[in-house]
Amino acid sequence: MRLQAKKTIYLREKVLGGSKPLICVPLVAEEEKNLKKEAKSIIRLFPDVIEWRADFFEEVCDIEKVKNALKMLRCIIKETPLIFTFRSNLEGGFKEVEPTIRYEIIEQVISTKEIDAVDIELISDKTNIEKIKIAADKHNVSLILSYHNFKETPSVEFLVDKMKQQILSGANIAKIAVMPINEEDVLNLLSATLKVRREIPDIPLITMSMGELGVISRIAGGLLGSDLTFGSGEKTSAPGQIPVGELRTNMK
């Protein structure tokens, strides 16, 4: 039996932190017509959750085009929960955008009520985190505060501290994604997940070890407290994602 969160979060009809970890598939198309095609393809895979990685979208700084794209996506995915992520280039984002513009876009997207969760980085300054938190709470959107490291896996203590910082900063969901250099790094990520789940069981967690070495964390991380894992649809958004069908089979 997996370690569940004591307090679950409902993303529409899906339960984050419940008896089974959810499977999320990212959308990474650069143009609206391809985004539409990708969404139609992914919805046939029956993901629990979809993430729109809007930093891949060429027109992401045009709020009206982003809003139109969101309406289009919602028509296609119906009641499938949607995470909106406009990732900072400092933590793996596809393009460099002035932070003020990026946070303004994120805040306006939250107000559309088309999304169910929003992911921003813990490295965001306190003012912007508080600003996004207020908007998210107002519109019943879950806030994911995240930490990504594409170079290495810090110590267990560092990872535990990061998740605790995320929670103290107002996260509804804490997220960690790190790159392993060796097998011990994968174990460190899993150990940190287990420690936080036991010490702060109320908060759903999303944790993963990236790349080929870290694949096992995407499949089995749910047993130790990770409540959502990412599988690939047409394309991946991070190293180590495996096709959603294969992921679902291996998680049974």
Side-chain angles (χ1 to χ4, degrees), residues 31 47 122 175 199-200 238 245:
E31 299 177 353
L122 182 64
K175 179 186 175 188
E199 292 184 3
I200 313 176

Side-chain angles (χ1 to χ4, degrees), residues 78-143:
K78 306 299 182 183
E79 290 303 303
T80 302
L82 182 63
I83 300 172
F84 181 82
T85 302
F86 189 168
R87 178 71 64 225
S88 167
N89 68 295
L90 299 177
E91 289 200 6
F94 191 66
K95 57 172 63 70
E96 184 174 355
V97 177
E98 168 63 39
T100 303
I101 296 173
R102 190 166 65 90
Y103 289 116
E104 183 178 342
I105 294 290
I106 293 169
E107 190 174 9
Q108 291 196 49
V109 164
I110 291 170
S111 70
T112 67
K113 300 183 180 181
E114 301 285 2
I115 66 170
D116 304 285
V118 62
D119 180 337
I120 64 170
E121 303 76 20
L122 182 64
I123 59 167
S124 306
D125 64 61
K126 183 177 179 181
T127 299
N128 283 319
I129 290 177
E130 290 178 348
K131 183 178 179 182
I132 297 301
K133 175 66 175 173
I134 289 170
D137 287 346
K138 179 179 179 181
H139 296 287
N140 197 31
V141 169
S142 293
L143 175 63

Side-chain angles (χ1 to χ4, degrees), residues 14 28 148 164:
K14 299 296 181 179
V28 295
H148 304 80
K164 289 182 176 180

